[in-house]
Amino acid sequence: MTSRILICLNHQKPNNLYASLRELSAASVHVNCATLNGPDAMATLFGQRRSYLGTAGTERSGLLREADGGVLFLGDVDELSPNMQYVLLHAIETGRFYPLGSDHEISSRFHLIAGANRDLRSLAAAGQFRPDLLARLNTWSFTLPPLRSRTEDIEANLVHELDRCERNLGVHVGFNSDARSQYLAFAKDPATHWPGNFRDFSGSIRRLCTLAPRGKITRND
């Protein structure tokens, strides 16, 4: 991940983007931009000097600085306020930004990946997203379809979720062969919409593992 090329992912939330991106770099910072609101939003992203509030414990490095040399993933970037969009654009273009209360810029170089669950082009046309920031983010753009449109991924993710349940529950749980076939048929059925994508899928596996007698999922579970 040495390239500075920016990537924009359009996806229907929620899914397993965060878990996948953790494998890209040991130095990775993940931000849900929908949570960046209120008086602490700017400090969370860009940092804050103690002099800004003048009280102990108010010094903050900021998530952009923590991502220096690694990967910064901005989830739901379409939720950023107009002011934060502008400051982020400056940081992307120059690699520098001002923490709150600082008279001096600091630098941070990171590989940026942004995720959005709305069409950024439509938002930019409606004046709800900066077109210059979109131009920066849109060097590479990928649309990630929902789980119901990616049935080829379900079987591999079933193995992954079973392994995760084993780690979390402390017991090994598996399917009988007929139960596994029945579950996969259900999971891949077009009528199974998975509105929460991988969170719904993961929850269904966890329920089966929790209720499975003697660590074996059967057709009656």
Side-chain angles (χ1 to χ4, degrees), residues 146-152 154 182-195:
L147 179 61
R148 61 181 175 272
S149 300
R150 300 159 57 190
T151 55
E152 68 276 8
I154 286 178
Q182 185 182 34
Y183 180 82
L184 288 174
F186 157 77
K188 297 179 180 182
D189 192 315
T192 305
H193 290 165
W194 299 116

Side-chain angles (χ1 to χ4, degrees), residues 14-89:
N15 54 37
N16 63 343
L17 273 177
Y18 289 94
S20 300
L21 288 166
R22 289 191 186 99
E23 302 176 3
L24 294 178
S25 171
S28 58
V29 175
H30 309 127
V31 186
N32 183 348
C33 295
T35 67
L36 296 177
N37 48 54
D40 293 332
M42 292 288 286
T44 299
L45 203 56
F46 303 105
Q48 176 177 282
R49 292 291 177 258
R50 178 179 175 179
S51 59
Y52 186 68
L53 296 177
T55 57
T58 58
E59 185 89 6
R60 302 177 68 173
S61 61
L63 295 175
L64 261 66
R65 190 169 188 180
E66 291 181 14
D68 188 23
V71 176
L72 174 65
F73 174 63
L74 297 178
D76 292 345
V77 71
D78 48 306
E79 300 290 345
L80 283 178
S81 68
N83 187 40
M84 294 187 73
Q85 289 179 33
Y86 174 77
V87 181
L88 176 63
L89 174 63

